[in-house]
Amino acid sequence: MAMTARPDLPAEPGQRPRRRRRRSPVTWARSGGMASVVFLLPLLITFGFFSWLPVAKSLVLSMQRTNLVTAAEWVGLANFERVLADPLLWTAVWNTTWFTLLAVVVGFPVPVMLAVFIGELRKSRGLASALAYIPVILPPVVAVLLWKAYYNPGPDGLFNTVLGWFGLGPFPWLQDGTMAMPSIVVQATWAGFGGTTIIYLAALRSVRTDLYEAAEVDGASIWRRVWHITLPQLRGIMLIMLLLQLIGTFQVFTEPFIMTGGGPENRTTTILMLIYNYAFIAGDYGKATALSLMLAGVLSIVSAVYLFLTRTWSKT
Amino acid sequence: MVRPVHRGLVALAGTAMMIALAACGADSSTDDAGASDEPDLNAEVTITVSDLPPTEQAESRQAMLDKIADFEAAHPTITIDAQETKWAAETFNAMLAGGTLPIVTAVPFTEIQALASRGQATDLTDAVADSAAISALSPTVMESVTRDGRIYGVPYQAYTMGLVYNRGLFEEAGLDPDDPPQTWDDVRAAAKTITEQTGQPGFISMTASNTGGWVLSTMSYAFGGQMQEVSGDDVLASFAAPRTATTEALELLRAMRWEDESMGANFLLDIDDARNEFAAGRAGMFVHGADVYGDMVVNRGLPGEHYGVAPLPQSPDGIGTLGGGAIDIVSPNATPEQVAAAIKWIEYHRLGRLSDEEQAVTWAESRAADDLPVGTPELPIVDAAQYETYLGWIDSYINVPRDNYELYLSTVEDIPLVPEPPVKAQELYAALDPVVQAVLTREDADLAELLDQAERNVNDFIAAG
């Protein structure tokens, strides 16, 4: 095959390697480089103003004590020390970790299984997808308030009424230190599985159909097809979804904030609720941003470790 | 190695960061508003004010706009810019930092000490020194806005924490709604009767979002104890000694919950939940500010005739009850001219109706036209004689059954008003929430250990500053 020599290709054997010629700024501008900058500017300004500036501000704020009126006082790492000295921090860390574990164990397989199930349907696949997606359409606060009512601990609560028909309960749901967090996880899973299911369904479309046909010819059962074809083909997207779920669940706030207010006895107080309390109840923005940065740091490390450990698994 | 295009991006990002940091530095160097400077009273000044009634309350909104027009006519150098903004903890700091907080903002009693301690409310001591209207306010009420001898707000509406009860449930249970419980033993007995006779919780208690600690502190006062000990400049939480008023209050809750089973099944109630339960007829009694009639009846559908309020029962050692209400503060960003104008506006707008018949009648007439309550129980912020005169002016517009609150109204000024814990009150309330929750959700809750832990947490907060 004929090849055309290009100046930036490696030199032929025997010749001295030629250094890549750098373009001067003028050449770069004349060849249309400014256009890319112009196109990039709105994005940079938007990101700069709404994303990077707040991040930079929170970095500064975490080392200040301020009432947002008078000149802020630089306190170095004192805010971080105060956060670490808060006895409620470790309760919140444990609660958040517990929520994340439960949410992953309960919430991760549900959309995968549902997507596979819907994918196997011959009829009404669209209807099934729409039904699965309905909880996502409800505004989160409305959904949480509804579930809060369903979890009414009295015998006349919705769940307790239904369970009462079978001679079970009434259960204290959110009122009991042991049951409260799993109850919240069930609601969060219900609220979130629809969106994830749709993503898995889209990913399923990329699975090669000839593999299924070959498996069918070989007499593979539906479970073997799912186990040996579908799941391996989905693992890339599953990896990403698991990571997103880990990050998302670590930042859980709305559900415990509305359903339990962190109770009973701080058993559902999460890290984000602590940040909220520092900022809006105590008006201590230094402490709130310090804890926010600590959380962001931990999540970054967790994400990096996760990606490192699973880097071979993600490659098909 | 970083490729050239990436280098450019990194440089841009770095620049953006530096600009951001520089911007932060600029913010931080903003000078404190010189509220203590001498104001130029002849200068043109505009002040923004909160709590303009929404368009749904057309009459009240128009009444305020008319009042603004009258005020501006009488004070040609002052322009009032009224906004519908209302106090919310979540938005207050953002508005303050962004410079959009109204110059005059109404805040609840529960917030004023924390705002003052953080320098987020202007020190008004000098600005109100010559105000006859503000000087005439009840010293007890003024104490709530005073910190270290300085005044940080103007109270314009006050109430005491009382025993709010459902007259309908009282009747259904065979109790006399005109003879509400006056001791804690009476409360316990009435709660038990209500549950037995109606199946509804006889007594509920708020427990979440700091309200558990708030109500427990109130009950502790009624049982004879303070929450903090003040010794010179030192303040320490003091509710966990071997047996305190707080212990007694918790013992009462425990007895009602586990022995009488008269507190229902829901023990994670914030203030909204508790009001909803009460308004829906699912609670016989609870401890709350006596002023809640409007919210219960107008917003939550409680029949007006079912609303009852009695004074908070006091044990023989009781030291009083916690107060509440609304306070106008002045933004710390206000100029001296704006502070001076704000005080004039507050005197006219908030206090005028207590001393001026025409203003009182206009206020009452517009509220009645909007179906808002007039004449609800409150703690008078002026002396008894002036308050009676005021009630006479608005008498024909009173649309709530004041006879139903006879006991509260006749004793409201006899029960001492005890201020909030002086330091880190919200943190103290937050630390006590889990204690109340534990007592109501675990029969074997160890009160001494729980209170001891909560007290240590509060003292750690106080020590951390």
Side-chain angles (χ1 to χ4, degrees):
Chain A
M1 188 179 170
M3 288 180 67
T4 312
R6 280 172 49 189
D8 55 345
L9 285 177
E12 293 292 321
Q15 290 180 331
R16 283 181 65 193
R18 287 201 304 184
R19 289 187 64 190
R20 184 179 165 183
R21 203 176 58 193
R22 294 195 61 177
R23 290 187 298 178
S24 72
V26 178
T27 324
W28 172 78
R30 279 190 185 154
S31 59
M34 283 307 289
S36 58
V37 171
V38 170
F39 280 113
L40 199 57
L41 261 182
L43 192 72
L44 286 176
I45 292 169
T46 309
F47 265 89
F49 198 75
F50 292 108
S51 274
W52 300 333
L53 181 64
V55 170
K57 277 218 159 195
S58 66
L59 272 172
V60 174
L61 207 52
S62 70
M63 287 181 273
Q64 290 180 330
R65 180 168 289 191
T66 177
N67 64 357
L68 304 169
V69 183
T70 50
E73 176 193 354
W74 282 94
V75 294
L77 298 176
N79 288 328
F80 293 88
E81 286 168 13
R82 288 195 300 136
V83 169
L84 289 171
D86 184 348
L88 207 49
L89 174 69
W90 303 110
T91 308
V93 168
W94 163 247
N95 290 340
T96 309
T97 310
W98 179 228
F99 176 86
T100 303
L101 278 173
L102 284 175
V104 169
V105 170
V106 177
F108 184 67
V110 170
V112 180
M113 290 191 290
L114 198 66
V116 170
F117 172 74
I118 294 175
E120 290 291 329
L121 288 178
R122 296 195 186 279
K123 288 181 182 176
S124 309
R125 199 179 292 176
L127 178 67
S129 311
L131 286 176
Y133 198 69
I134 279 179
V136 185
I137 297 170
L138 275 181
V141 173
V142 175
V144 175
L145 284 173
L146 273 177
W147 276 72
K148 187 178 178 181
Y150 298 162
Y151 277 140
N152 187 317
D156 52 351
L158 180 72
F159 290 152
N160 280 339
T161 302
V162 173
L163 291 172
W165 296 337
F166 305 99
L168 300 170
F171 294 102
W173 304 115
L174 303 168
Q175 316 284 316
D176 179 82
T178 312
M179 288 186 78
M181 194 60 99
S183 301
I184 292 175
V185 168
V186 170
Q187 191 283 331
T189 304
W190 171 86
F193 80 88
T196 321
T197 303
I198 298 294
I199 294 172
Y200 283 130
L201 273 172
L204 276 175
R205 289 182 178 267
S206 66
V207 178
R208 286 164 50 195
T209 50
D210 56 329
L211 292 176
Y212 288 120
E213 287 158 11
E216 274 189 61
V217 170
D218 290 343
S221 68
I222 185 169
W223 298 116
R224 289 178 72 85
R225 274 182 280 152
V226 168
W227 187 253
H228 291 291
I229 300 172
T230 311
L231 292 183
Q233 295 274 315
L234 284 182
R235 67 183 170 189
I237 192 81
M238 284 169 69
L239 178 82
I240 295 297
M241 295 309 294
L242 183 58
L243 180 60
L244 291 177
Q245 191 173 352
L246 277 175
I247 295 172
T249 49
F250 244 90
Q251 299 183 31
V252 61
F253 174 76
T254 311
E255 293 84 357
F257 180 71
I258 295 174
M259 280 210 252
T260 60
E265 296 185 69
N266 290 320
R267 294 289 284 272
T268 58
T269 299
T270 62
I271 296 174
L272 248 69
M273 287 183 70
L274 212 52
I275 294 172
Y276 174 91
N277 288 340
Y278 288 161
F280 299 116
I281 304 298
D284 194 338
Y285 280 73
K287 219 168 147 186
T289 46
L291 182 52
S292 303
L293 287 173
M294 287 159 76
L295 176 63
V298 169
L299 283 179
S300 303
I301 293 168
V302 168
S303 304
V305 169
Y306 175 83
L307 289 174
F308 178 76
L309 292 177
T310 58
R311 67 195 188 287
T312 52
W313 190 62
S314 64
K315 291 172 187 157
T316 49
Chain B
M1 181 180 157
V2 181
R3 283 165 48 196
V5 63
H6 287 175
R7 268 193 228 128
L9 280 176
V10 170
L12 271 169
T15 313
M17 193 79 87
M18 291 310 290
I19 292 169
L21 290 171
C24 299
D27 279 0
S28 308
S29 65
T30 309
D31 286 332
D32 193 2
S36 58
D37 295 348
E38 204 57 41
D40 175 4
L41 296 177
N42 297 317
E44 296 272 340
V45 63
T46 298
I47 57 169
T48 43
V49 301
S50 71
D51 291 81
L52 174 67
T55 47
E56 292 80 17
Q57 296 169 9
E59 294 287 338
S60 300
R61 184 185 178 90
Q62 192 54 51
M64 181 162 170
L65 293 174
D66 291 345
K67 195 185 253 187
I68 289 171
D70 292 346
F71 179 81
E72 287 176 340
H75 301 84
T77 58
I78 301 174
T79 304
I80 304 289
D81 176 8
Q83 304 177 348
E84 289 184 22
T85 313
K86 278 185 177 292
W87 157 266
E90 290 85 351
T91 55
F92 178 83
N93 282 295
M95 294 175 81
L96 189 62
T100 55
L101 184 76
I103 295 296
V104 180
T105 303
V107 303
F109 267 41
T110 43
E111 303 296 331
I112 186 69
Q113 291 295 333
L115 293 175
S117 71
R118 295 198 294 264
Q120 293 182 325
T122 297
D123 180 345
L124 301 174
T125 316
D126 299 332
V128 302
D130 299 329
S131 166
I134 294 171
S135 302
L137 295 179
S138 146
T140 322
V141 174
M142 283 305 287
E143 199 179 322
S144 302
V145 297
T146 304
R147 184 178 180 83
D148 298 332
R150 309 296 292 176
I151 296 168
Y152 289 90
V154 180
Y156 64 87
Q157 191 179 30
Y159 60 82
T160 59
M161 296 289 278
L163 184 73
V164 175
Y165 65 99
N166 186 317
R167 297 175 62 89
L169 279 182
F170 262 60
E171 274 180 27
E172 202 180 322
L175 299 167
D176 180 1
D178 291 324
D179 183 22
Q182 295 184 50
T183 67
W184 288 107
D185 286 340
D186 290 349
V187 171
R188 184 178 170 184
K192 195 171 181 210
T193 306
I194 289 169
T195 299
E196 284 169 357
Q197 298 299 317
T198 69
Q200 300 295 346
F203 185 91
I204 61 170
S205 184
M206 292 181 255
T207 59
S209 304
N210 297 8
T211 58
W214 180 51
V215 170
L216 183 60
S217 299
T218 307
M219 290 176 68
S220 300
Y221 293 166
F223 276 96
Q226 289 272 12
M227 305 308 284
Q228 292 178 342
E229 271 177 14
V230 182
S231 168
D233 288 341
D234 296 329
V235 176
L236 276 180
S238 60
F239 48 75
R243 184 162 184 88
T244 63
T246 308
T247 320
E248 287 183 46
L250 288 167
E251 291 285 11
L252 172 71
L253 292 178
R254 174 143 73 184
M256 287 198 285
R257 163 68 177 97
W258 297 103
E259 291 172 27
D260 303 345
E261 296 184 351
S262 60
M263 293 189 68
N266 195 348
F267 308 111
L268 282 181
L269 300 170
D270 62 18
I271 195 162
D272 255 334
D273 298 325
R275 288 181 179 190
N276 282 339
E277 292 295 307
F278 184 83
R282 291 196 295 263
M285 297 171 278
F286 74 133
V287 175
H288 195 286
D291 71 327
V292 76
Y293 178 98
D295 183 58
M296 288 289 187
V297 176
V298 178
N299 300 335
R300 298 175 203 260
L302 176 78
E305 66 275 15
H306 283 187
Y307 182 81
V309 59
L312 190 73
Q314 299 287 309
S315 77
D317 302 325
I319 59 170
T321 185
L322 197 60
I327 296 163
D328 266 343
I329 62 161
V330 176
S331 166
N333 294 322
T335 62
E337 288 73 24
Q338 286 176 318
V339 172
I343 298 301
K344 283 183 186 152
W345 166 250
I346 294 168
E347 286 173 344
Y348 183 79
H349 174 51
R350 299 298 196 188
L351 308 178
R353 71 182 164 96
L354 296 168
S355 57
D356 181 273
E357 182 172 4
E358 192 183 333
Q359 276 204 46
V361 169
T362 307
W363 174 83
E365 191 179 21
S366 62
R367 281 185 68 86
D370 283 331
D371 290 328
L372 297 173
V374 178
T376 50
E378 63 182 346
L379 175 68
I381 59 172
V382 288
D383 66 60
Q386 184 58 42
Y387 191 71
E388 278 304 314
T389 309
Y390 158 75
L391 283 178
W393 293 334
I394 64 168
D395 187 54
S396 56
Y397 299 101
I398 289 178
N399 54 11
V400 301
R402 282 178 68 89
D403 291 345
N404 287 353
Y405 328 125
E406 181 52 39
L407 186 61
Y408 177 85
L409 293 172
S410 60
T411 59
V412 65
E413 292 183 272
D414 301 337
I415 298 177
L417 199 60
V418 185
E420 305 230 19
V423 178
K424 303 269 179 190
Q426 292 299 328
E427 284 83 351
L428 183 143
Y429 296 156
L432 286 172
D433 270 4
V435 177
V436 184
Q437 290 167 4
V439 168
L440 297 181
T441 57
R442 283 195 290 121
E443 193 168 5
D444 61 352
D446 184 338
L447 283 188
E449 189 188 321
L450 287 162
L451 285 174
D452 201 42
Q453 179 63 49
E455 189 179 275
R456 276 202 305 272
N457 291 350
V458 176
N459 283 330
D460 284 348
F461 271 120
I462 293 173

